[in-house]
Coordinates of all heavy atoms in Angstrom, one line a residue:
Chain B
V97 N -85.2 -3.3 30.5 CA -86.6 -3.0 30.7 C -87.1 -2.0 29.7 O -86.5 -0.9 29.6 CB -86.8 -2.4 32.1 CG1 -88.3 -2.2 32.4 CG2 -86.1 -3.3 33.2
P98 N -88.2 -2.3 29.0 CA -88.8 -1.3 28.1 C -89.4 -0.2 28.8 O -90.2 -0.4 29.7 CB -89.8 -2.1 27.3 CG -90.1 -3.3 28.1 CD -88.9 -3.6 29.0
V99 N -89.1 1.0 28.4 CA -89.6 2.2 29.1 C -90.2 3.2 28.2 O -89.9 3.2 27.0 CB -88.4 2.9 29.9 CG1 -87.9 2.1 31.1 CG2 -87.3 3.3 29.0
R100 N -91.0 4.1 28.7 CA -91.6 5.2 28.0 C -91.0 6.4 28.5 O -90.8 6.6 29.7 CB -93.1 5.2 28.2 CG -93.9 6.1 27.3 CD -95.4 5.9 27.6 NE -95.8 4.7 27.0 CZ -96.3 4.6 25.7 NH1 -96.3 5.7 25.0 NH2 -96.7 3.4 25.2
R101 N -90.7 7.3 27.5 CA -90.0 8.6 27.9 C -91.0 9.8 27.8 O -91.8 9.9 26.8 CB -88.9 8.8 26.9 CG -88.1 10.1 27.2 CD -87.2 10.4 26.0 NE -86.3 11.5 26.3 CZ -85.8 12.3 25.3 NH1 -86.0 12.0 24.1 NH2 -85.0 13.2 25.6
Y102 N -91.0 10.6 28.8 CA -91.8 11.8 28.8 C -90.8 13.0 28.9 O -90.3 13.3 30.0 CB -92.7 11.9 30.0 CG -93.7 10.8 29.9 CD1 -93.4 9.5 30.4 CD2 -95.0 10.9 29.5 CE1 -94.3 8.5 30.4 CE2 -96.0 9.9 29.4 CZ -95.6 8.6 29.9 OH -96.5 7.6 29.8
L103 N -90.6 13.6 27.8 CA -89.6 14.7 27.7 C -90.1 16.0 28.5 O -91.3 16.4 28.2 CB -89.3 15.0 26.2 CG -88.3 16.2 26.0 CD1 -86.9 15.8 26.5 CD2 -88.3 16.6 24.6
L104 N -89.4 16.5 29.4 CA -89.8 17.7 30.1 C -89.4 19.0 29.4 O -90.0 20.0 29.5 CB -89.2 17.7 31.5 CG -89.7 16.6 32.5 CD1 -89.0 16.8 33.8 CD2 -91.2 16.8 32.7
G105 N -88.3 18.9 28.6 CA -87.9 20.1 27.9 C -86.3 20.2 27.9 O -85.7 19.1 27.9
R106 N -85.8 21.4 27.8 CA -84.4 21.6 27.7 C -83.9 22.2 29.0 O -84.5 23.2 29.5 CB -84.0 22.5 26.6 CG -83.7 21.8 25.3 CD -83.2 22.8 24.3 NE -83.3 22.3 23.0 CZ -82.9 23.0 21.9 NH1 -82.3 24.2 22.1 NH2 -83.0 22.5 20.7
L107 N -82.7 21.7 29.5 CA -82.1 22.3 30.6 C -80.7 22.9 30.2 O -79.8 22.0 30.0 CB -81.9 21.2 31.7 CG -81.3 21.6 33.0 CD1 -82.1 22.7 33.7 CD2 -81.1 20.4 33.9
P108 N -80.6 24.2 30.0 CA -79.3 24.7 29.5 C -78.3 24.5 30.6 O -78.5 24.5 31.8 CB -79.6 26.2 29.4 CG -81.1 26.3 29.3 CD -81.7 25.2 30.2
I109 N -77.1 24.2 30.1 CA -75.9 24.0 31.0 C -74.9 25.0 30.5 O -74.6 25.2 29.3 CB -75.3 22.6 30.8 CG1 -76.3 21.5 31.3 CG2 -74.0 22.5 31.6 CD1 -76.0 20.1 31.0
V110 N -74.4 25.8 31.5 CA -73.5 26.9 31.2 C -72.1 26.7 31.9 O -72.1 26.1 32.9 CB -74.1 28.3 31.6 CG1 -75.4 28.6 30.9 CG2 -74.3 28.3 33.1

Side-chain angles (χ1 to χ4, degrees):
Chain B
V97 183
V99 293
R100 185 175 288 271
R101 179 191 189 204
Y102 298 83
L103 179 67
L104 291 178
R106 269 189 198 180
L107 178 63
I109 294 170
V110 296

